[in-house]
Amino acid sequence: MAPQKTVKRKVAALPYNVRSAKAGKDKNVEPLFERRPRSFGIGQDIQPRKDLTRFVKWPKYVQLQRQRKILRMRLKVPPAINQFTQTADRNTAVQLFKLLSKYRPDTKQEKKARLTAQAEKVAAGQKVESEKPAVVKYGINHITSLVESKKAQLVVIANDVDPIEIVIWLPALCRKMGVPYCIVKGKARLGTVVHQKTATALALVDVKPEDKQALASLVSAVNANFADKEDSRRTWGGGIMGSKSIAKTTKRDAADARQIKLN
């Protein structure tokens, strides 16, 4: 009988997932830094921090503040209202509030102590100076009468008065009467000068002789930035669109330009 041939049988190949696992094990693994993949399933690893600002239900007053700001950017703003967006620069504001702080009115306790001291002097038969101290005037009606009578030497107006109709006419009145005026940031900042929560406007009527030079330099700076600047009073504001709207408009203009070229 002829000898039988021996046939070598091939072993079946390993499944793909087993092969990839074995091939991965053969790679050089860094022993110092072990790979620890995280799983974010329920009850697993802690989720990474996310910015949830858009999902927060903000209080109504915060929503109104933000909507008002966006509307003022989007809508066309008349020049009479837009002039309140252009306020005094930082250096001028610092010098202004330094001067105003010297003429702060008395608090209730200080006024009571001053009047009590005067009454005691009168009772003792001494001569009392009845002149009122030079202080900052506040109150929109009081300031209006001071401007109309041309007694005010400098008027300071807040830029964030709400409703704006309370002070919208005051710059025009100051220009008509030849009274220097300026617009500064923050009705609350003006309020701190006169011991109030807020103040729409302040006025300086009298100053001491040593402060006249400081007031004159302030008035010249203020007139250059406000009363003598006609362009700022005739400029419309607003009309600033969002990033999505600007991108959409740019895309549409580019498409129109391409269409014109083709034609």
Side-chain angles (χ1 to χ4, degrees), residues 115-133:
L115 295 177
T116 304
Q118 287 182 1
E120 289 174 355
K121 287 182 180 179
V122 171
Q126 299 177 2
K127 189 177 181 180
V128 179
E129 296 180 1
S130 59
E131 292 183 3
K132 289 185 178 179

Side-chain angles (χ1 to χ4, degrees), residues 46-240:
I46 298 173
Q47 295 280 346
R49 293 176 66 88
K50 295 180 182 178
D51 184 11
L52 302 176
T53 307
R54 292 182 63 86
F55 305 101
V56 175
K57 184 167 177 60
W58 296 97
K60 191 68 178 176
Y61 77 96
V62 175
Q63 296 177 28
L64 289 174
Q65 284 174 355
R66 294 177 178 180
Q67 289 168 1
R68 190 185 299 120
K69 181 183 176 183
I70 296 298
L71 276 177
R72 284 176 179 171
M73 289 171 61
R74 301 287 184 268
L75 301 178
K76 286 285 187 181
V77 181
I81 299 175
N82 187 53
Q83 66 178 333
F84 287 91
T85 60
Q86 298 161 8
T87 56
D89 59 5
R90 186 175 180 180
N91 293 333
T92 306
V94 167
Q95 296 299 324
L96 174 65
F97 280 97
K98 270 187 184 178
L99 183 63
L100 292 177
S101 63
K102 295 181 181 179
Y103 297 93
R104 297 183 74 186
D106 294 337
T107 60
K108 289 183 179 179
Q109 294 80 10
E110 292 171 349
K111 185 177 181 181
K112 185 178 179 181
R114 179 168 57 85
L115 295 177
T116 304
Q118 287 182 1
E120 289 174 355
K121 287 182 180 179
V122 171
Q126 299 177 2
K127 189 177 181 180
V128 179
E129 296 180 1
S130 59
E131 292 183 3
K132 289 185 178 179
V135 294
V136 176
K137 308 296 182 182
Y138 64 99
I140 192 67
N141 292 332
H142 189 191
I143 288 173
T144 304
S145 62
L146 290 174
V147 172
E148 288 175 342
S149 59
K150 297 184 180 180
K151 291 181 181 178
Q153 296 188 24
L154 178 63
V155 176
V156 185
I157 310 168
N159 74 324
D160 56 349
V161 178
D162 190 25
I164 195 66
E165 287 82 5
I166 295 173
V167 293
I168 194 172
W169 45 269
L170 192 53
L173 180 64
C174 290
R175 288 194 300 271
K176 184 178 180 182
M177 294 296 171
V179 176
Y181 74 94
C182 65
I183 300 169
V184 297
K185 288 183 180 179
K187 57 186 178 182
R189 194 178 181 189
L190 292 184
T192 57
V193 176
V194 292
H195 310 292
Q196 301 288 328
K197 284 185 178 179
T198 57
T200 55
L202 304 178
L204 271 173
V205 178
D206 295 319
V207 293
K208 297 173 184 176
E210 59 266 23
D211 291 327
K212 285 188 177 179
Q213 182 63 33
L215 179 62
S217 63
L218 262 177
V219 167
S220 63
V222 157
N223 283 335
N225 290 328
F226 292 94
D228 299 339
K229 243 183 182 178
E230 292 187 6
D231 295 340
S232 62
R233 301 197 302 269
R234 296 177 181 178
T235 306
W236 282 69
I240 303 170

